[in-house]
């Protein structure tokens, strides 16, 4: 964070947002394992003339399997900042989930109990086949528990963003400690 910027000043650009999120996650023991920044300015249609700058941050934590990470997607657009934090779990193959709707209901219930109230917290369950002729039961599954960062936190400044990132990381850890989530991790993980 820039020394000239008071911690309560609104965040307006990508770099201080990246620093604030990183600070909050690292304070809770998550280590940055990757950072990618992109700039896009060749849009057509509805977004023609727009420019966005984005950052993708990837964090891992010692003591957790590589199949667990926290990802941050942060975006600076002409309409302002936006972003989300996601707990990403590379789960067992699809065949392990005999009833996907029941699994989603269980994951959603766990998330609603662990994640902070008052925020948008979508859940995604993605199945991916490497090749169209592969057995569908072998599909790789990725589960993402997200928390969307509200515009109000950007307006509140770097400290507020950092605190929300720390709070969210702690919530993700509570989620990982739940038996139904630990059962999705590789043996010895979590």
């Amino acid at each position: 964070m820039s020394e000239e910027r008071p911690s309560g000043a609104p965040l307006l650009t990508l770099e201080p947002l990246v620093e604030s999120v990183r600070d909050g996650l690292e304070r809770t023991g998550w280590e940055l394992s990757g950072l990618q920044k992109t700039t896009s300015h060749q849009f057509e249609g509805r977004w023609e003339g727009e420019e966005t700058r984005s950052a993708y941050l990837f964090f891992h934590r010692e003591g957790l399997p590589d199949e667990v990470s926290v990802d941050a997607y942060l975006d600076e657009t002409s309409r302002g900042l936006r972003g989300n934090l996601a707990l990403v779990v590379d789960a067992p193959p699809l065949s392990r989930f005999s009833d996907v709707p029941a699994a989603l209901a269980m994951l959603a219930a766990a998330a609603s109990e662990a994640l902070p109230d008052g925020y948008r917290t979508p859940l995604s369950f993605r199945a991916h086949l490497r090749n169209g002729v592969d057995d569908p039961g072998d599909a790789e599954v990725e589960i993402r528990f997200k928390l969307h960062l509200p515009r109000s936190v950007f307006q509140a400044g770097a400290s507020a963003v950092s605190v929300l990132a720390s709070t969210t990381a702690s919530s993700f850890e509570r989620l990982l400690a739940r038996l139904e989530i630990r059962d999705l991790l590789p043996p010895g993980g979590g």
Side-chain angles (χ1 to χ4, degrees):
M1 286 172 270
S2 170
E3 291 182 32
E4 300 166 18
R5 173 185 297 287
S7 65
L11 296 179
L12 304 173
T13 59
L14 186 62
E15 287 73 17
L17 176 57
V18 167
E19 291 176 27
S20 299
V21 167
R22 183 176 178 177
D23 176 64
L25 290 171
E26 288 180 341
R27 269 197 265 151
T28 59
W30 290 86
E31 297 175 18
L32 183 70
S33 54
L35 169 65
Q36 176 185 3
K37 288 185 181 179
T38 62
T39 300
S40 302
H41 46 69
Q42 294 183 346
F43 293 104
E44 293 183 19
R46 178 177 151 186
W47 293 286
E48 190 168 351
E50 297 284 327
E51 181 173 317
T52 65
R53 296 184 323 124
S54 302
Y56 302 89
L57 291 81
F58 307 95
F59 295 85
H60 286 83
R61 186 178 174 106
E62 191 172 321
L64 290 176
D66 288 341
E67 290 83 3
V68 174
S69 65
V70 170
D71 297 357
Y73 170 72
L74 309 171
D75 202 18
E76 175 188 334
T77 72
S78 57
R79 296 181 185 131
L81 297 174
R82 64 182 177 191
N84 67 68
L85 304 175
L87 173 64
V88 182
V89 177
D90 292 331
L94 188 59
S95 62
R96 172 88 182 279
F97 299 90
S98 59
D99 184 347
V100 173
L104 277 172
M106 176 271 299
L107 294 168
S112 70
E113 291 176 20
L115 297 179
D117 290 331
Y119 298 95
R120 285 184 39 222
T121 55
L123 166 66
S124 67
F125 182 101
R126 297 179 182 165
H128 170 78
L129 281 176
R130 290 184 183 269
N131 188 324
V133 297
D134 291 345
D135 179 353
D138 292 337
E140 297 171 350
V141 173
E142 178 189 83
I143 300 166
R144 285 183 174 261
F145 301 92
K146 287 185 182 179
L147 182 134
H148 283 273
L149 301 172
R151 290 188 189 271
S152 60
V153 78
F154 306 136
Q155 291 300 311
S159 294
V161 170
S162 185
V163 166
L164 181 55
S166 292
T167 300
T168 303
S170 295
S171 296
F172 288 161
E173 291 165 26
R174 283 193 301 278
L175 192 53
L176 286 169
R178 294 180 62 100
L179 181 60
E180 60 265 46
I181 306 301
R182 282 197 328 249
D183 283 348
L184 299 176
L185 302 178

